[in-house]
Amino acid sequence: MKPGLRCGCLSSELSFLVEPSDVIAVRDRPLMLDCRVQGEEPIMVTWRKNGVPLPTSPRVRVLANGTLFITSFQKRREGSDADMGEYDCAAQNRYGMLVSRKAKVLLASLPKFHTHPVSMAVDEGGVARFQCQINGVPEAIITWERDRVKLNTTEIRYTLLPMGILQVTGVRQADAGVFRCVAANPANTRYSHEAMLNVTGGASRIYKEPFILSGPQNLTLTVHQTAILECIATGNPKPIVSWSRLDGRSIGVEGIQVLGTGNLMISDVSLQHSGVYVCAANRPGTRMRRTALGRLVVQAPPEFLQWPQSVSKPAGGSAVFTCVAQGVPEPHLIWLKNGKVLMPGHNVKLTNNNSTLALTRISAEDEAIYQCIAENSAGTNQASARLAVAQAKDLPAAPEGLTASGLSANALQITWSQPPSNVTDSIIGYVLHIRKIGEPDSQELQEAISKGTFQHDVTNLEPATTYSLYLKAYSPLGASQQSRTVVATTLGGVPTPPTFFTKVVNSSAVQVLWELPSKAGKAEGFRLSYRKVPHADFQGPVQLPCHINAHTISNMEPGAVYEVKLVAYNGNGESDCSKRLVSLAEEGLSDQRGNSLCQCRDGEASLGSIVIGIHIGTACIIFCVLFLMFGYRRSLFCSKGTQDSWSVPRDNTGHIRNPKDGANCPRVESTPQVVTHVKLYSTISFIKCSSVSQTPEIIINIIIGWTVFDSLSFCLLPVVTQVVCPAECQVIIEQQSSGLPGIGTG
């Protein structure tokens, strides 16, 4: 266990010096579990078994130093469970409770063998292998006997593996006999069944392919344990045993040893030793070989990379504890509050796979010791921290007199009042909180300021950007309340004019909508004004914050025309304005033409508007002249060609033929074709009276009239034009875009 980091401003932390560890007890023997703590006295130590408080009795006592002493460990007791289980100790003082890691207490036992050695016959010079298995607590020590006499394992041909395996290589006649295995631990000693080894014939000279008698088994171990991977092979000639990793990585040499003729032993295994190991038996001088695979999995108990730190926070504030642990497999994290599992609630939030504990709206009830418990199949670990809740009377007062002003395009200067000397002594520093207007609180930046400073320049800011700022004073017990929030804008210009449009809601209300700045902080807010045309005075302005992009103007005069004006502003001034005209004459026709940037002097018409009006008037005159000319030409063309009228060409089926083929129009009696255009808003239309004779086609232009609406805009009036073509001519209507924005087609 590694204790949590301690804050020097808090009293001596409650922590463990010694925690209980896993132990194997012997029935009817005494058992002691250690638990030693330090911290502010008085400290009370209690014990729990399987999460339930352990009652004390003459047989079960807690010593003065916190150690649990059981005078006689029992496998079963009348009316209760055995003493086996998971034990932990809890230490408590006035600041809270701390719980130790869990220690597993097992009863020493040695049941019967579940695998016994089997008799076998081996050729002289061959390999013999016996195996026995028994599950002892603790793991039994296994030895072997031949003919009831302990086997002398100093002979190099004899290899004993801890998992109950006996290997005999280069078997001789003298090795024949009766073998059995002996298992012993503190609980008992047991003997396996006996197995006979018969040695037959002399050394064989018959060729035998390599054969792996027993290959490596899958193993799961904890770091620092010893791994033994078995590999014993037979064959004639005697095969050569070698080891490799399936992933091609080197096995290494440190801590590596070969037992007998081919068993691999890895002392003090680490996570890097995990992998699949390949045992190969090769016939000497050839590529003939046999292989066997075994997987080694190495686990690691949890270790902390980051521990929660004890803190002091004011009531109503928030606290965050972080706990990061690593291990194999990945540890699972849980949090305890004064020894009880902490669940997410109204002011408790667990995030990042429980590695972060956040407490909000802290009150006196939240003052406690918080523990992070990391668990996996290889073990457990714990770290702790204390939350102290400071009352307002114990904290410094909020800084006063905070002001901020633009210093440059990238800097602001803030100042505040120096507190009285008795308050200054308790302050260890200040923290400035700064955020762009319009950005969320999560984007807030913080800057530390030394305790003797009452003026500070904030640099590396954006030009022409508005920021909100406030200040907190810190003492060893925590932070003060925040100062008043001030707003300041860096130098560098005013915002760009906002783009907006209008929507008629009903006969007396208009909704104004606009685009927010692409970069937060460029505008501190907006000012919206409006006037009834032709009145000179604007109503308003309506002041709107920078995050609002819509406003409804109500109580307007039905059927009237209004001019709406919008500007953006920051600490450097107002932008140029955007203006629009809106008519309430017809509900639903909201956005009248005009979104002009201007100097926004009320009652003045811009010079550009006058110039536009003059140009439009001139254009109207020119169009009228052209209309008269084309009308005159039409009468000439349509009167030429024949004494009668032109006729429309048709084929034998009676269908109209394409005038483009150049055929003459047969003479037929017909009435003239009349084309009437009632409304033309968005296009200039050309009516072509195409002659089917060799006479050039007649082109008649419909003139669109423009009328100056006022000094700021113009509107398009509908024109009713009747065009009369001779009956012998085909009417072709073509439209050409006028290029006039925002005009609808009727």
Side-chain angles (χ1 to χ4, degrees):
M1 189 278 296
K2 200 161 185 175
L5 300 180
R6 291 164 179 73
C7 175
C9 63
L10 299 176
S11 301
S12 176
E13 293 294 321
L14 186 63
S15 61
F16 288 104
L17 296 175
V18 177
E19 293 183 78
S21 56
D22 296 348
V23 66
I24 296 173
V26 179
R27 187 170 56 182
D28 299 329
R29 299 275 187 90
L31 173 68
M32 298 180 71
L33 293 174
D34 291 329
C35 179
R36 288 163 48 197
V37 295
Q38 67 177 3
E40 184 174 318
E41 299 286 351
I43 301 173
M44 181 177 67
V45 175
T46 57
W47 283 84
R48 300 186 301 184
K49 188 185 80 170
N50 299 329
V52 178
L54 184 66
T56 59
S57 66
R59 191 181 67 88
V60 179
R61 305 197 309 268
V62 178
L63 304 182
N65 62 358
T67 298
L68 176 66
F69 179 62
I70 301 177
T71 57
S72 178
F73 195 88
Q74 298 296 316
K75 183 177 181 180
R76 289 187 179 85
R77 303 198 312 271
E78 290 185 12
S80 84
D81 296 331
D83 289 330
M84 294 179 294
E86 287 187 333
Y87 289 76
D88 57 46
C89 67
Q92 185 172 10
N93 65 6
R94 70 187 186 96
Y95 295 115
M97 178 181 288
L98 198 61
V99 178
S100 73
R101 68 176 297 275
K102 295 177 181 178
K104 294 180 181 178
V105 177
L106 302 176
L107 176 66
S109 62
L110 190 63
K112 296 179 179 181
F113 284 94
H114 61 84
T115 300
H116 294 270
V118 178
S119 298
M120 62 190 311
V122 179
D123 292 337
E124 190 172 352
V127 177
R129 179 182 182 273
F130 295 106
Q131 181 178 12
C132 64
Q133 290 182 334
I134 189 169
N135 294 327
V137 179
E139 186 175 327
I141 298 174
I142 296 178
T143 58
W144 287 85
E145 294 180 350
R146 186 181 63 196
D147 299 330
R148 303 286 178 101
V149 177
K150 186 175 181 181
L151 194 65
N152 181 13
T153 56
T154 57
E155 170 68 49
I156 193 172
R157 297 181 303 108
Y158 288 82
T159 303
L160 270 68
L161 302 183
M163 52 275 212
I165 296 172
L166 171 64
Q167 298 173 353
V168 183
T169 57
V171 172
R172 302 170 183 171
Q173 289 291 341
D175 295 325
V178 177
F179 289 79
R180 70 175 181 180
C181 104
V182 182
N185 73 359
N188 204 348
T189 299
R190 290 190 181 274
Y191 298 89
S192 73
H193 297 168
E194 295 182 332
M196 176 71 71
L197 173 60
N198 293 318
V199 181
T200 61
S204 175
R205 295 187 179 183
I206 302 174
Y207 167 75
K208 292 183 180 180
E209 290 187 358
F211 175 75
I212 296 179
L213 190 63
S214 181
Q217 302 296 311
N218 294 335
L219 290 178
T220 299
L221 302 175
T222 304
V223 288
H224 307 307
Q225 289 184 326
T226 297
I228 297 179
L229 300 172
E230 183 186 11
C231 186
I232 185 169
T234 63
N236 190 21
K238 183 180 179 181
I240 299 172
V241 175
S242 62
W243 286 90
S244 63
R245 287 177 59 117
L246 189 62
D247 57 11
R249 293 173 52 190
S250 171
I251 295 178
V253 295
E254 187 174 353
I256 304 298
Q257 184 179 351
V258 176
L259 300 179
T261 58
N263 307 290
L264 181 67
M265 182 174 74
I266 307 174
S267 302
D268 193 21
V269 295
S270 64
L271 295 176
Q272 289 72 27
H273 288 122
S274 289
V276 176
Y277 288 78
V278 181
C279 161
N282 291 71
R283 177 185 176 188
T286 70
R287 295 187 177 181
M288 171 70 69
R289 71 173 193 165
R290 294 289 183 268
T291 60
L293 308 180
R295 180 180 295 276
L296 172 61
V297 176
V298 181
Q299 298 182 338
E303 291 184 358
F304 288 108
L305 301 178
Q306 186 174 353
W307 299 265
Q309 300 188 36
S310 297
V311 293
S312 175
K313 294 291 182 178
S318 60
V320 176
F321 296 106
T322 302
C323 177
V324 180
Q326 68 176 4
V328 178
E330 185 74 20
H332 170 66
L333 300 179
I334 61 172
W335 288 86
L336 306 181
K337 175 186 177 183
N338 284 340
K340 296 182 179 179
V341 176
L342 186 64
M343 302 299 293
H346 68 286
N347 74 324
V348 177
K349 181 181 289 187
L350 293 172
T351 56
N352 300 326
N353 291 327
N354 287 2
S355 64
T356 302
L357 167 64
L359 303 172
T360 58
R361 303 184 301 278
I362 292 172
S363 64
E365 289 75 21
D366 296 310
E367 189 168 75
I369 294 177
Y370 293 86
Q371 280 183 272
C372 170
I373 308 295
E375 297 179 320
N376 68 6
S377 56
T380 64
N381 206 344
Q382 67 90 19
S384 63
R386 181 165 70 89
L387 172 61
V389 180
Q391 302 303 315
K393 62 183 179 60
D394 302 322
L395 300 173
E400 296 182 352
L402 181 67
T403 62
S405 59
L407 190 61
S408 69
N410 304 103
L412 297 173
Q413 185 175 81
I414 63 167
T415 60
W416 64 96
S417 303
Q418 180 176 352
S421 57
N422 61 325
V423 176
T424 305
D425 294 340
S426 65
I427 293 176
I428 59 176
Y430 297 89
V431 173
L432 175 67
H433 299 251
I434 181 167
R435 176 178 57 86
K436 284 183 190 178
I437 289 290
E439 285 194 343
D441 292 341
S442 60
Q443 301 294 322
E444 179 185 87
L445 301 176
Q446 298 180 10
E447 200 168 315
I449 304 172
S450 61
K451 62 177 293 186
T453 302
F454 308 102
Q455 177 178 302
H456 181 70
D457 295 341
V458 188
T459 57
N460 298 323
L461 303 178
E462 294 184 14
T465 303
T466 304
Y467 293 87
S468 67
L469 310 96
Y470 65 88
L471 196 66
K472 285 185 177 182
Y474 276 78
S475 74
L477 294 177
S480 70
Q481 295 295 317
Q482 69 180 54
S483 68
R484 74 181 186 94
T485 300
V486 296
V487 175
T489 305
T490 53
L491 304 182
V494 297
T496 56
T499 301
F500 78 99
F501 63 94
T502 59
K503 177 183 178 182
V504 174
V505 178
N506 53 48
S507 61
S508 62
V510 172
Q511 186 180 36
V512 184
L513 304 101
W514 59 92
E515 296 179 4
L516 293 177
S518 58
K519 262 189 145 181
K522 293 295 183 184
E524 185 178 333
F526 301 92
R527 295 189 178 107
L528 178 66
S529 308
Y530 60 96
R531 70 180 176 93
K532 177 184 173 186
V533 176
H535 293 177
D537 296 332
F538 279 88
Q539 300 182 47
V542 179
Q543 194 107 340
L544 300 162
C546 68
H547 62 277
I548 299 298
N549 69 334
H551 182 74
T552 300
I553 305 172
S554 55
N555 299 323
M556 304 176 79
E557 183 177 323
V561 175
Y562 281 85
E563 182 181 28
V564 179
K565 180 177 70 174
L566 183 69
V567 299
Y569 69 91
N570 63 18
N572 297 319
E574 289 186 349
S575 69
D576 289 337
C577 77
S578 301
K579 284 186 177 181
R580 277 190 180 272
L581 288 166
V582 59
S583 174
L584 299 178
E586 183 178 351
E587 183 180 344
L589 297 178
S590 61
D591 207 2
Q592 295 295 332
R593 300 317 115 211
N595 184 16
S596 56
L597 302 183
C598 58
Q599 298 304 317
C600 297
R601 296 190 181 99
D602 299 341
E604 289 189 17
S606 67
L607 179 60
S609 300
I610 298 174
V611 173
I612 291 172
I614 294 173
H615 279 75
I616 292 172
T618 304
C620 288
I621 295 172
I622 294 172
F623 277 125
C624 289
V625 173
L626 292 174
F627 179 80
L628 294 175
M629 291 174 63
F630 280 116
Y632 177 69
R633 287 184 63 190
R634 179 194 64 79
S635 63
L636 289 178
F637 281 124
C638 288
S639 63
K640 287 183 181 182
T642 64
Q643 294 177 352
D644 298 324
S645 303
W646 290 312
S647 60
V648 179
R650 299 178 183 268
D651 55 21
N652 294 332
T653 63
H655 292 90
I656 297 175
R657 288 159 49 191
N658 191 337
K660 297 295 183 181
D661 60 11
N664 294 329
C665 301
R667 296 183 183 180
V668 293
E669 297 297 330
S670 178
T671 58
Q673 299 183 63
V674 178
V675 179
T676 302
H677 279 232
V678 180
K679 285 187 180 182
L680 295 172
Y681 284 95
S682 66
T683 60
I684 297 176
S685 297
F686 298 92
I687 304 290
K688 294 182 181 180
C689 294
S690 299
S691 171
V692 296
S693 67
Q694 300 300 322
T695 307
E697 63 182 4
I698 301 171
I699 301 176
I700 299 175
N701 292 274
I702 296 179
I703 307 301
I704 297 179
W706 296 85
T707 301
V708 177
F709 187 76
D710 66 2
S711 62
L712 298 178
S713 64
F714 47 80
C715 70
L716 183 61
L717 299 181
V719 175
V720 179
T721 303
Q722 177 172 290
V723 180
V724 180
C725 285
E728 298 82 16
C729 298
Q730 179 180 356
V731 177
I732 302 172
I733 300 177
E734 295 183 357
Q735 289 189 329
Q736 174 180 320
S737 174
S738 66
L740 300 174
I743 301 176
T745 303

